[in-house]
Amino acid sequence: MDQRLLAKTFVELADSLVADFDLIDFLRLLTDRCVGMLDAGAAGVLLADRDGKLRVMAASDEQVRLLELFQLQNDEGPCLECFRTGAPVIVHDLTREVDRWPRFVAVAHRSGFGAVQALPMRLRDETVGALNLFRAAPGPFDPAATLVAQALADVATISLLQQRTAHRSTILNEQLQTALNTRVLIEQAKGKLAERQGIDMEQAFSSLRGYARAHNRRLADVARALIDDSEPLAGLGSWPAPWSGAPES
């Protein structure tokens, strides 16, 4: 595990809530770093909205995003169980859980995943979501990597909650609702860019995110400009992913 990148990630997760805080980018950073540093092939984040209903807020790739959506639509899977109990759900071999989650296991297998661990995003008695790590091959997860993943989830949770005041529930719920609306906007922009450039949805997201970071703009603003055709966004389709897995200097 790259200790420099790990330390940098903790700092980024702990120091991300500012006036123009971008929740979608913040959570995507969490999933990307989990995949880049830990024993995981893919990662996703589910957060509860103002009504307590889970939503897919970030995923390391399109395949795992669809799998997370399947869990929510079918009300079945380890991530939902983790959120509801507030406790980790670690499954070393999904084929042994067919009776527990028959529909989820079948779809996870078709998606190429053989093991999963769902870790609560929780502070004391409040669980706001779950961080979910998927792996292709069945077998035990590295205990040290699991501890690091839970620590990352804990830091992210603290960052999400740290600006709460006497009206903290309203503040977070409004932020999450805004993020949900932003998520819809970004999905529309991904589809438009993917069709326009002849690329897949993951490449489209990487292009949008890379362009936003390179131009010091909010991801939602770039997505809205693309959808509305309100500005040229020159070279948008050529931007690579903003983080390639190597530590920054």
Side-chain angles (χ1 to χ4, degrees), residues 89-233:
V89 177
I90 300 177
V91 180
H92 299 152
D93 187 348
L94 277 169
T95 61
R96 297 182 179 182
E97 304 296 338
V98 174
D99 293 338
R100 189 177 182 183
W101 309 304
R103 290 169 293 184
F104 171 78
V105 169
V107 173
H109 179 72
R110 289 198 298 270
S111 299
F113 299 119
V116 59
Q117 55 180 344
L119 306 174
M121 296 184 68
R122 177 181 179 184
L123 182 64
R124 300 185 182 90
D125 296 328
E126 185 167 11
T127 303
V128 300
L131 169 64
N132 314 305
L133 307 180
F134 299 87
R135 197 183 57 207
F141 286 88
D142 179 359
T146 297
L147 288 174
V148 171
Q150 184 63 71
L152 291 172
D154 292 345
V155 171
T157 303
I158 292 169
S159 289
L160 288 171
L161 299 175
Q162 72 178 1
Q163 285 191 343
R164 288 188 171 188
T165 60
H167 303 290
R168 64 185 186 278
S169 294
T170 301
I171 293 171
L172 182 62
N173 287 336
E174 288 178 353
Q175 185 181 64
L176 294 181
Q177 192 61 45
T178 298
L180 287 170
N181 296 337
T182 300
R183 181 79 248 177
V184 172
L185 187 71
I186 291 170
E187 289 300 317
Q188 292 173 344
K190 282 167 55 180
K192 183 171 183 176
L193 184 61
E195 182 178 7
R196 177 181 293 178
Q197 298 289 333
I199 56 180
D200 62 33
M201 295 288 278
E202 185 61 21
Q203 290 172 319
F205 180 85
S206 295
S207 293
L208 287 166
R209 189 182 183 209
Y211 186 95
R213 287 193 165 190
H215 293 80
N216 196 28
R217 298 183 60 180
R218 290 173 58 84
L219 185 58
D221 293 339
V222 174
R224 184 175 292 105
L226 175 65
I227 292 170
D228 296 340
D229 286 324
S230 57
E231 55 183 290
L233 301 177

Side-chain angles (χ1 to χ4, degrees), residues 62-103:
E62 189 69 12
Q63 189 175 45
V64 78
R65 186 183 74 86
L66 295 176
L67 181 58
E68 298 279 43
L69 284 173
F70 180 86
Q71 286 193 82
L72 298 181
Q73 292 166 355
N74 290 272
D75 195 32
E76 176 186 293
C79 309
L80 277 76
E81 186 172 313
C82 171
F83 173 73
R84 289 166 179 165
T85 64
V89 177
I90 300 177
V91 180
H92 299 152
D93 187 348
L94 277 169
T95 61
R96 297 182 179 182
E97 304 296 338
V98 174
D99 293 338
R100 189 177 182 183
W101 309 304
R103 290 169 293 184

Side-chain angles (χ1 to χ4, degrees), residues 14-56:
D15 194 34
S16 291
L17 285 190
V18 292
D20 59 348
F21 175 58
D22 190 329
L23 179 58
I24 299 297
D25 192 61
F26 172 81
L27 294 174
R28 183 59 187 254
L29 172 69
L30 175 61
T31 60
D32 284 354
R33 295 295 169 85
C34 282
V35 172
M37 297 186 301
L38 307 178
D39 185 24
V45 172
L46 303 180
L47 288 183
D49 64 14
R50 67 180 65 181
D51 299 318
K53 186 175 181 180
L54 281 176
R55 305 285 187 176
V56 180

